[in-house]
Amino acid sequence: MSDVVFPEGFVWGSATAAYQIEGAAKEDGRGPSIWDTYSHTPGRTLNGDTGDVAADHYHRWADDLDQLSALGLAAYRFSIAWPRVQPGGSGALNQAGVDFYSRLVDRLLDLGIRPVATLYHWDLPQVLEDAGGWPARDTAARFADYATKIVGALGDRVHTWTTFNEPWCSAYLGYASGVHAPGRTEPASALAAVHHLNLAHGLAGRVIRDLAPAAQLSVTLNLHVIRPASDSAADADAARRIDALANRAFLGPMLDGAYPADLLADTAAVTDWSFVRDGDEHTAAVPLDVLGVNYYSTTLVRAWDGVSPKSDSDGHGRSAHSAWVGSESVEFLPQPGPYTAMGWNIEPAGLTELLLRLHREYPELPLMITENGAAFDDVVSPDGAIHDDRRIDYLRRHIAATHEAMAAGADVRGYFVWSLLDNFEWAYGYDRRFGIIRVDYDTQQRTWKDSAHWYRRLTTTNRLP
Ligand code: IFM
């Protein structure tokens, strides 16, 4: 077997998100977001956990950035909390919030680490949800205003601007199944949210192009690798429907300038899509420099016979309401293991398949893996070490799968491990740990897991250990 060696200049990084690590929920003028409200609502998160303190990164940011440097990383993907920089969702920016990100970006540059900033990783200012949230068209205009102001402040000191992280989750988990904030269960609203997220992406993307012409423009999608349970036409059609909702509902407008016809037809009983106005799809299709891809596992579907008890193993949390709007005829099947602590199946070949699909369909568009990683039940050894062999194995196999796609032609420019630190895993609270660095939530002490040492060997040699 030959060594797996990555090309010179391949970007190794790690990723975090504001609400998952920052804490300081009420400091320096930060306003409430939908995740503050949701996590403080009894029964919404495991153990009632909230992001009030999280990994206290708001106060420990400088030490955390030193960890990036020690890991030998070339890039850091973080998100800007809209409610910290524009607490009212409109109007002037909160200077203290802007200063926090400005210091962070400057320090990254001092360390020689590329800042990759996401404008929205799920923390909508609560005031905008009260005014209708993502199902309301005005939220897209508010987002463009926020982008104008924060990109004006940070400009092209940020190497890559990413408009959204996983709009799929914001729309369908937030407004259809309700397992994410704001927890609404309104199928038609979820589709309106899909559209306004696409529109907001285009509006903000155009702002970024104008105000930071030297920066790269991106969006991060959690594209699903959907497999039909059999060769039957019915199962193939089930996979096609879910592909439309999960993937092409975003790839269509953002990259092709149009919603796929089958998506509109499949969901016609839910909405007539009259919220799509002339020119919106064109606006959404702002040219990108790089597409961010988040990958964790695969999805297995079949046509439901409508009679037998329906399995619902879509991996995105239990709810009486489906995230898969208009696709009640589809059944999500459990998949063969092994699994991570999220219950997600481990299937590195799915990543190769996804990257090659994107390469086939959008051959000119560079790709970046903006998230990949795994939660496991880490054990702290008596000597304080964390021997997270399963996480190392997960990372090794997925990074090898990335290399395989590259060898077959996919233009993949970098890989960001999710996540730098253990953090607030949304509805699962602090129970699920994704970090390569452990956080002791009582003391906020950071400890490198074995995976962090392993990742450092990779980032400093470009060779898969
Ligand atoms: O923690 C999340 C992250 O916020 C978005 N992508 C998936 C991760 C693991 O669930």
Side-chain angles (χ1 to χ4, degrees):
M1 269 180 41
S2 57
D3 277 4
V4 174
V5 183
F6 282 81
E8 185 87 11
F10 189 82
V11 175
W12 297 107
S14 75
T16 63
Y19 190 70
Q20 296 184 269
I21 61 167
E22 284 180 3
K26 293 190 175 155
E27 273 180 60
D28 293 342
R30 181 184 179 280
S33 76
I34 54 174
W35 268 99
D36 294 278
T37 308
Y38 189 81
S39 65
H40 279 271
T41 304
R44 289 301 204 177
T45 65
L46 202 57
N47 305 316
D49 289 343
T50 74
D52 287 1
V53 177
D56 195 32
H57 173 75
Y58 189 72
H59 300 114
R60 294 165 195 268
W61 64 274
D63 290 344
D64 289 340
L65 299 197
D66 286 344
Q67 307 272 12
L68 297 171
S69 187
L71 282 163
L73 301 185
Y76 175 49
R77 174 175 178 254
F78 61 97
S79 80
I80 295 174
W82 186 355
R84 195 179 288 291
V85 300
Q86 195 182 41
S90 61
L93 295 190
N94 168 33
Q95 195 55 45
V98 176
D99 289 347
F100 171 71
Y101 295 107
S102 191
R103 281 193 297 269
L104 187 104
V105 165
D106 284 346
R107 180 68 184 145
L108 286 170
L109 293 173
D110 287 348
L111 292 168
I113 297 171
R114 283 183 191 175
V116 176
T118 301
L119 286 171
Y120 187 82
H121 198 124
W122 307 352
D123 41 4
L124 186 70
Q126 180 61 44
V127 68
L128 294 183
E129 171 58 24
D130 297 342
W134 286 111
R137 187 177 179 91
D138 190 53
T139 304
R142 297 292 100 238
F143 184 73
D145 174 65
Y146 152 60
T148 305
K149 289 171 177 154
I150 192 68
V151 175
L154 302 178
D156 45 26
R157 280 185 288 155
V158 168
H159 179 277
T160 304
W161 283 103
T162 303
T163 53
F164 285 95
N165 177 73
E166 303 182 354
W168 182 89
C169 297
S170 298
Y172 298 114
L173 302 184
Y175 293 96
S177 67
V179 298
H180 276 193
R184 282 159 63 179
T185 49
E186 304 159 12
S189 300
L191 295 176
V194 166
H195 179 58
H196 297 135
L197 287 155
N198 283 322
L199 177 62
H201 160 77
L203 293 170
R206 284 158 206 278
V207 164
I208 293 164
R209 285 255 172 262
D210 284 350
L211 297 182
Q216 302 255 298
L217 176 63
S218 178
V219 63
T220 279
L221 302 177
N222 57 323
L223 297 166
H224 287 58
V225 175
I226 300 143
R227 294 177 171 162
S230 78
D231 292 341
S232 74
D235 288 354
D237 194 58
R240 177 202 57 73
R241 285 184 88 102
I242 297 307
D243 181 57
L245 279 168
N247 300 330
R248 291 180 288 115
F250 301 99
L251 293 172
M254 288 183 184
L255 297 181
D256 304 325
Y259 284 103
D262 60 335
L263 171 72
L264 306 186
D266 290 347
T267 53
V270 180
T271 179
D272 60 6
W273 291 79
S274 54
F275 41 76
V276 182
R277 297 194 189 157
D278 280 355
D280 283 2
E281 291 156 289
H282 171 76
T283 300
V286 56
L288 299 179
D289 296 302
V290 59
L291 175 67
V293 177
N294 290 358
Y295 175 83
Y296 291 90
S297 63
T298 55
T299 302
L300 184 64
V301 299
R302 74 173 171 209
W304 183 43
D305 61 15
V307 180
S308 43
K310 192 178 182 185
S311 154
D312 187 17
S313 303
D314 78 348
H316 296 291
R318 294 266 153 205
S319 166
H321 304 267
S322 173
W324 301 101
V325 178
S327 286
E328 290 71 21
S329 59
V330 177
E331 187 174 9
F332 291 80
L333 299 174
Q335 306 193 61
Y339 308 100
T340 69
M342 298 295 285
W344 299 343
N345 66 308
I346 300 175
E347 175 57 316
L351 178 55
T352 314
E353 186 180 322
L354 174 59
L355 295 170
L356 289 176
R357 170 191 175 172
L358 291 167
H359 173 61
R360 212 171 37 247
E361 295 181 6
Y362 304 101
E364 303 305 325
L365 185 60
L367 306 172
M368 185 77 97
I369 296 172
T370 39
E371 281 182 32
N372 174 243
F376 287 109
D377 297 326
D378 295 325
V379 176
V380 182
S381 304
D383 64 355
I386 300 111
H387 303 302
D388 57 337
D389 296 349
R390 283 180 301 172
R391 183 172 291 104
I392 293 175
D393 187 56
Y394 181 100
L395 296 177
R396 177 190 290 115
R397 294 172 62 201
H398 285 81
I399 292 169
T402 303
H403 193 271
E404 201 176 316
M406 291 166 71
D411 182 5
V412 186
R413 302 285 174 93
Y415 174 97
F416 290 71
V417 66
W418 183 268
S419 180
L420 177 69
L421 304 169
D422 289 338
N423 59 49
F424 175 77
E425 177 52 28
W426 309 110
Y428 296 93
Y430 297 101
D431 192 77
R432 306 290 202 276
R433 292 174 177 270
F434 274 90
I436 56 171
I437 297 180
R438 180 179 177 84
V439 175
D440 178 326
Y441 293 113
D442 294 328
T443 63
Q444 291 294 347
Q445 191 187 331
R446 276 63 167 148
T447 307
W448 282 30
K449 304 178 189 177
D450 285 358
S451 55
H453 295 282
W454 176 87
Y455 194 49
R456 184 175 183 283
R457 284 199 293 284
L458 171 62
T459 65
T460 51
T461 60
N462 258 358
R463 198 173 276 269
L464 201 58

